[in-house]
Each structure stands twice: as C-alpha cells, then as structure tokens.
Amino acid sequence: MKKRSLWLITALMTIALLGVFVMQLYYIREAYRLKSQLFEQEVNQVLSAVADKVQRLNAVNHINKKDLEWRIKMENQRRDRTRRLIDLDQNYKELERKRKYDQRKQMIDELNYQDEMIRKMYLSPTIISEADFYALENRATTPLNVDVNVGFDANLNMIGSNVQKTFRLGSVKTFDIEPKKLPDSIRYLVYSRYDSRPLRVSLPSLNGDMRLKFKVEDEIANRRRNHALKELQADTVRLLDEGSFNVIEAAAKEMSQLDIPLAQRVSKGTLDTLLRAELANKNINLAYDFWLKSLVSDRLVFRKISSLQGEILPANTYKTALFSNDVLRDPGMLYINFPNKSAAIFNNLSVTMASSAGLLIVLISIFSYTLYAILRQKKIAEMKSDFINNMTHEFKTPVSTIMIASEALRDPEIQEDKSRISRLAGIIYDENVRLGNHIERVLSIARLDKKELKLETEDVEMNSLIAAVADSMSLQLQKKEATLTLNLNASNALVTGDELHLSNVIYNLIDNANKYSIDPPQITLSTKNAGKCLYIDIEDKGIGMTKEQCKRAFDQFYRVPTGNLHDVKGFGLGLNYVQDIITQMNGTIKLKSEKDKGTIFEIIIPLK
C-alpha cells in the first residue's frame, strides 16, 4: 500500500512538472512571437529613418556642393581683387618713390646750378644758418672787416660796439641728392668782387615754377591712383551683387536632373554608417547584410555582406524605397538582412528565459529533493525495520536464555545441585549484562541525537587505554582466531576526553574489524604523533567496502551487506556513535576501504 502511494505521489509530481514545463514553453513561444513583431517594427522604423536621412543628406550634399563652388569662386575673385589692389598700391608707391627721386634730382640740379652761379659772381660764398643771416641783417652799418682764410673761415667783428661776435664760416659745400632735409631758403655770405664788401644772398630751395610743376605731377599721379581704385571698387560692387546667388535654387536645379545614377546619389559607406547608427539607437547590435538595387533595371548597385555562411533568408529580409519622393528618377530599393535574427530575439528574451529556466530548475530541484526525501525516508524506514528486527533478535536471545535458565532453576532436581544453580545464575547474570549493554547502546545513540549526552573531560593516555581495550577483547578475538598487532609508537598520547566513550570507540572499531572478515582476522592498531595531534589507525584485511558503502558507513542504522557472513550481528549504530563521540572531542575520523582488500579507520584527536 505504501509502495503504491509512493509511486502515485511521484507520478502526480511528474505530471505537474511536465505541465509547468509545457506552460513555460508556450510562454517562451508567445514571447518570441511578440519580440519578432517588435523587431520587425523597429527594423522598418530604422529603414524609414535611413531613407529619410539619405534624402535629406542628398539634398544637403547638393546644397553644400553648390555653396562650396560659389564660395570658392567668390574667394578666388576676392583674392584676385586683393592682389590687384596690392599691386596697385605697390606700383603707386614705386612710381611715387621714382617721381620724388626725379623731383629731388631736379631740385638739387637747380640748386647746384644756382650755387655755381653765385660762386662765379661773388667771392668766397659761404652757406650760413638762418640765425646768422638775420644777425648780419641787424648789425650796424659800419663795414665788416673780412679776413678770408684758406679754409673759407672768416671772423666777423662788429666795429663801434661793445660786443663783438665771431662767425666761423664753413667750407663751401655742393648740394647732393642724398635724402636730407633742406631749409626753404639757402642763405649765403658772399663778398663783392668790386669792393670786397660782405653781402647776403638768399636762394630758395625750390623755386615757384618747379614747385608748381611738381604739384601738377603729384596731382596727375593721385588722379591715376584714384581712377584705378574706383575701378576696383566697381568690381567689388559687382561681386556683392553676385552674392545674391541662390544656392538652394541651384542645388534643386541640379537635383532635378534625370541622368544622375543611384551610385552618385548615395554611397555604400554612408548607408552603412546610417544603418549602424539607427540600429544602435534601437539597441539592435546584430551583424547585417544590405544591398541597393535599381527598381528600373533591377540591377544590383552595391552590397555589403557581413557573413558568407548560409543563404539570405527572405523571412529575415526587410526593404524600403530609398528615394520615395522621386517620381521621374529611379528611387532605388534598399534591402537589409539579419542572418542571426533568431539569436538577437533570444538574446532579448534572455531575462525571460533565464527566469523560466530558473523556475524550472527550482521545480526540478524541489521535485528531485522530494523524490530524494521519499526514497531516503523509504530507506530509513527499511533500515529502522531492520534495526527493530535486529534489536528484537538481540533482545530475544538473552531473554530466552534467561527464561530457560529460570525454568531450570525451578526444577527440584537442579535446586539440590548447587554447582548447577551457580552456573545457571552466572548465565542469567551474563545475559542480563548483555541485555543491559544493548539497552545502554540504544539509549546512548538517542542521547547523542538529542545532544543530551554529556562527556566527562579528563586526561586520557590513549596508548594505555588501547592496550586495556585490546586485553579485554582477547577472549572475543580468540574465538575467531584473530591476530591483533599493536604499534603504539606515539611518544605523546595524552588527550583530553571521556575515557569511557573513548574506550567504546576503540572497542567498536576493533569489533567491526573482527566481525567483517571471512578468514581469520588480521588487525593492526597503531598510534603516532603529527603536529599537535594524535593519529590512531585501525587497519584490517576484511571484506572491505565499495565507495558507495563508504559514503553511507557513518549513517545511522546503516549496515554494510556481509555477503556470505551470516553471523554478523548489530544495530547499525556503531560507526555513527563513533563519529559523534570523536566529533564532540574536536577530532575527526576518516575511512579508507577497498572491496575484498580491507579497511582503514584513521582517528585524529588534538593532544592536550
């Protein structure tokens, strides 16, 4: 009945799990369909945006092209006018420099001529300063005494005056063309050839005729320069009038031409850049292929392939007219294909699928744990049933023996035989002790489970304790002709623990080694020190255990199958008890075993 209920629960849980799994698949399929529709909408929006941008970019390119052409033309014209203006200015300055040079040369030549005439007409002509000239004018009418020196120096003395002023006259100089400033009039001190009287002579630097001539030449030059400037200004006005050139109209006129091919209206790189940017705006990070075809000739203009594997699937291809506003010209058809569209949609569904997978894993885990718990409970129930059967057998044997001995004691004949009474009383006592030990073992396990077992901590010398336990088990070992070898090599075997329970631990391990052997048991018990711990090894050459049995050896109620050994008795509590005691003493126990080759138990206990 219980077995049928177990399978019924398992079947119901399996059906429920399959139902949840089917619902998850349906949900994922619907989510995939909705994501596909959303993906198609986004791709169509991308294509519309790209087509719109291509048309605007095409118009902008034409406008920019015409604007650039006009600007280059205007810039060239400005540069030409600037260059002409610079040339005009340079030419004017060069002509002015040459004219001024010629004018000065004429002035110097005239001055030199006049100077030569003065020198021929007078004696010792000397150029004097303006101040000296007027000083001579203000002097008394008394004739000047002139002392002519070789170097044309003269001392002029005022006669009939308390003050005498001496003029140092320099040597006669001829005028040169060097650009130095000349006074308006050149003043001379000369002497008459007739009576050697000092005379003043004034010579204008630039006479009136020459001054008028020079003025006319300057005015003619200025008029020519002004005329050239007016011509340049007129060109500038015409240039400004050309600034009313309408770039948009010129671009529209160029765009309306019918013979512009698609390849010139849009480039492959521009399309790729626009598509990549728009797809990124929609969070579509997928490899894609695109190509442009002519609707008029159905000719492929260009294409871009990101993956050469597989054929382009029509279901993953989207298209749009590139120049939809063109009526007379070829609008072109832009196609885009996503080879990994399904991967993209599944990536978008990653959170949904992850949650679904997580829920499914949780359900499977719960199902597995439940199934494991049911099977474990079943095994525990079987182990408990075996334990009860073994306990009943173990309890029934001493009880039966005590009953038989008690009935024998009631026999009048036996009552008169004191030796037989004593032997029967001994049997009753031994069986009673045996029964009490069984009960105590069961109660100890119960107290360990409830954490109610309190250990008495004291210093225990393990070498001595092991020797004492081995000696107490000598008769039991002799029954099976067992050989027990003690290698108590630990120099320090003093630990802190409960001596009674430690002796039970050693007893249980030696007893297991003695029971689980087909041939006469060979048991080796050794101790050693390593670090701050005591190592106790119990090794036998018995039937051993498999890896699976080793994993469960310390489980409560678990007993290793003994095969052909039918005399092995026990409750399946010994190793569980051993592990609990060693753990409570801050130690560890390890198990190494190989089927049909033997077993090694290693106990590690901290030293005092």
Side-chain angles (χ1 to χ4, degrees):
M1 185 66 180
K2 291 182 179 179
K3 187 174 181 180
R4 182 181 298 177
S5 299
L6 176 64
W7 284 111
L8 180 60
I9 293 173
T10 304
L12 291 175
M13 291 184 65
T14 303
I15 293 172
L17 184 63
L18 288 175
V20 172
F21 181 70
V22 171
M23 289 179 63
Q24 289 292 328
L25 288 179
Y26 174 77
Y27 175 72
I28 291 174
R29 186 176 69 85
E30 286 299 311
Y32 179 85
R33 184 179 62 81
L34 294 175
K35 286 289 184 179
S36 298
Q37 293 178 356
L38 180 61
F39 181 82
E40 291 179 3
Q41 293 176 3
E42 290 179 344
V43 171
N44 290 328
Q45 292 174 4
V46 166
L47 290 177
S48 298
V50 168
D52 182 57
K53 287 185 177 181
V54 165
Q55 294 180 45
R56 285 186 290 171
L57 189 61
N58 184 50
V60 170
N61 287 339
H62 280 285
I63 293 173
N64 290 338
K65 178 183 175 183
K66 287 300 178 182
D67 182 67
L68 181 61
E69 291 176 355
W70 176 80
R71 289 180 182 277
I72 291 174
K73 179 181 177 182
M74 295 288 289
E75 184 65 25
N76 291 336
Q77 291 179 356
R78 286 193 184 95
R79 288 179 181 176
D80 181 63
R81 283 159 178 76
T82 303
R83 181 181 55 79
R84 289 170 58 188
L85 182 61
I86 293 172
D87 291 344
L88 175 64
D89 187 62
Q90 290 178 348
N91 291 336
Y92 174 78
K93 289 180 179 179
E94 181 66 23
L95 292 174
E96 183 180 28
R97 186 188 62 78
K98 185 177 180 182
R99 187 178 70 256
K100 294 296 182 182
Y101 179 81
D102 292 341
Q103 290 175 357
R104 183 174 181 82
K105 187 174 182 301
Q106 293 176 26
M107 182 182 71
I108 296 300
D109 290 343
E110 180 65 22
L111 284 174
N112 284 330
Y113 173 75
Q114 295 291 341
D115 179 74
E116 185 180 0
M117 295 299 294
I118 291 173
R119 291 181 187 279
K120 288 180 180 181
M121 293 173 62
Y122 301 100
L123 295 175
S124 301
T126 304
I127 298 175
I128 63 175
S129 66
E130 192 78 17
D132 291 339
F133 182 81
Y134 287 108
L136 289 173
E137 182 182 10
N138 296 328
R139 295 178 66 175
T141 58
T142 305
L144 290 172
N145 297 323
V146 178
D147 182 15
V148 180
N149 298 323
V150 177
F152 300 102
D153 292 334
N155 293 325
L156 301 181
N157 299 315
M158 278 191 168
I159 299 174
S161 175
N162 294 329
V163 181
Q164 292 184 348
K165 185 172 183 181
T166 303
F167 295 88
R168 177 70 64 182
L169 300 177
S171 61
V172 178
K173 296 181 180 179
T174 301
F175 300 101
D176 55 25
I177 202 170
E178 290 297 326
K180 56 187 177 181
K181 187 176 181 181
L182 295 174
D184 293 338
S185 298
I186 308 299
R187 311 295 186 178
Y188 288 89
L189 175 62
V190 299
Y191 297 90
S192 174
R193 286 184 179 276
Y194 301 104
D195 53 9
S196 298
R197 284 178 62 81
L199 298 172
R200 296 182 307 157
V201 177
S202 180
L203 176 65
S205 299
L206 185 64
N207 60 43
D209 293 337
M210 191 172 288
R211 185 183 300 277
L212 181 59
K213 177 187 175 185
F214 290 167
K215 184 177 181 181
V216 170
E217 289 177 354
D218 291 342
E219 289 181 355
I220 292 173
N222 285 330
R223 288 177 181 177
R224 289 177 179 174
R225 182 174 182 272
N226 292 333
H227 179 70
L229 285 175
K230 287 181 179 179
E231 288 184 352
L232 284 177
Q233 289 175 355
D235 291 342
T236 303
V237 172
R238 288 195 298 271
L239 183 63
L240 293 175
D241 291 339
E242 292 176 359
S244 60
F245 172 74
N246 195 322
V247 177
I248 297 178
E249 290 182 359
K253 182 177 179 181
E254 184 180 81
M255 290 173 61
S256 62
Q257 297 176 7
L258 300 177
D259 56 349
I260 302 178
L262 279 171
Q264 294 183 10
R265 296 161 65 190
V266 64
S267 66
K268 178 180 176 182
T270 301
L271 272 179
D272 193 14
T273 302
L274 292 175
L275 284 171
R276 192 179 304 277
E278 290 298 325
L279 289 173
N281 289 337
K282 297 294 184 180
N283 294 323
I284 301 176
N285 300 316
L286 265 184
Y288 59 88
D289 307 329
F290 72 89
W291 60 97
L292 181 64
K293 293 182 69 175
S294 170
L295 279 181
V296 176
S297 60
D298 198 30
R299 181 179 60 85
L300 182 67
V301 179
F302 52 73
R303 72 184 302 168
K304 180 251 182 183
I305 300 296
S306 62
S307 174
L308 297 177
Q309 297 179 355
E311 295 294 331
I312 297 175
L313 301 177
N316 294 339
T317 303
Y318 308 89
K319 63 181 180 178
T320 187
L322 198 58
F323 296 96
S324 58
N325 295 330
D326 291 349
V327 180
L328 301 177
R329 291 190 300 181
D330 184 4
M333 186 63 71
L334 175 63
Y335 296 85
I336 185 170
N337 172 263
F338 297 92
N340 301 321
K341 172 188 171 183
S342 299
I345 295 176
F346 278 118
N347 286 336
N348 291 331
L349 288 173
S350 57
V351 176
T352 303
M353 294 180 64
S355 61
S356 300
L359 178 60
L360 190 61
I361 290 172
V362 169
L363 291 175
I364 292 175
S365 300
I366 295 173
F367 174 77
S368 301
Y369 179 77
T370 305
L371 190 60
Y372 167 77
I374 291 173
L375 295 176
R376 187 169 180 273
Q377 290 297 326
K378 179 185 176 184
K379 289 183 179 180
I380 291 174
E382 292 175 353
M383 289 163 55
K384 284 185 177 181
S385 178
D386 292 341
F387 167 73
I388 292 171
N389 292 334
N390 290 330
M391 185 177 65
T392 302
H393 177 74
E394 292 290 338
F395 283 1
K396 186 177 180 180
T397 300
V399 169
S400 298
T401 303
I402 291 172
M403 184 176 292
I404 293 172
S406 300
E407 288 179 354
L409 286 174
R410 294 175 64 184
D411 190 351
E413 295 180 359
I414 294 177
Q415 291 178 0
E416 294 178 358
D417 190 348
K418 292 183 178 181
S419 60
R420 293 182 67 182
I421 291 173
S422 177
R423 187 168 63 84
L424 290 173
I427 292 173
I428 292 172
Y429 178 80
D430 291 340
E431 293 299 323
N432 192 37
V433 170
R434 179 181 175 188
L435 184 61
N437 287 335
H438 287 331
I439 295 171
E440 184 62 30
R441 287 173 64 186
V442 174
L443 293 176
S444 295
I445 294 298
R447 286 195 294 270
L448 279 173
D449 287 343
K450 295 179 180 180
K451 306 297 180 181
E452 294 177 353
L453 183 64
K454 294 182 180 180
L455 302 180
E456 300 293 336
T457 56
E458 57 183 329
D459 294 344
V460 181
E461 215 290 325
M462 290 303 298
N463 286 341
S464 302
L465 180 66
I466 291 171
V469 172
D471 183 65
S472 67
M473 296 182 69
S474 58
L475 293 176
Q476 182 178 344
L477 295 173
Q478 288 175 5
K479 285 184 178 181
K480 294 197 65 174
E481 300 178 355
T483 302
L484 176 61
T485 303
L486 299 180
N487 296 323
L488 306 179
N489 299 322
S491 59
N492 181 12
L494 190 63
V495 300
T496 301
D498 190 304
E499 183 176 0
L500 173 63
H501 289 286
L502 282 173
S503 63
N504 288 338
V505 167
I506 303 300
Y507 178 89
N508 274 317
L509 294 177
I510 295 176
D511 186 54
N512 280 347
N514 185 40
K515 289 191 296 185
Y516 291 96
S517 295
I518 299 176
D519 298 327
Q522 297 180 18
I523 306 169
T524 302
L525 198 154
S526 58
T527 62
K528 64 179 180 180
N529 290 120
K532 296 182 180 181
C533 295
L534 175 67
Y535 285 74
I536 304 172
D537 292 343
I538 297 93
E539 180 179 0
D540 65 66
K541 304 294 182 181
I543 63 174
M545 288 180 280
T546 64
K547 290 183 179 181
E548 184 64 30
Q549 292 170 350
C550 288
K551 292 179 182 178
R552 301 184 59 195
F554 295 102
D555 291 347
Q556 203 173 60
F557 305 124
Y558 179 76
R559 299 185 67 203
V560 176
T562 56
N564 295 328
L565 297 179
H566 301 287
D567 58 344
V568 178
K569 299 178 182 180
F571 299 150
L573 301 174
L575 290 181
N576 180 261
Y577 166 79
V578 167
Q579 185 184 47
D580 287 342
I581 294 299
I582 296 299
T583 302
Q584 289 195 36
M585 294 185 182
N586 299 320
T588 57
I589 182 169
K590 298 179 181 179
L591 169 62
K592 299 177 184 177
S593 184
E594 192 173 349
K595 188 65 175 175
D596 299 326
K597 291 187 178 181
T599 303
I600 301 175
F601 285 94
E602 183 181 57
I603 299 174
I604 305 172
I605 305 176
L607 292 170
K608 179 181 177 183

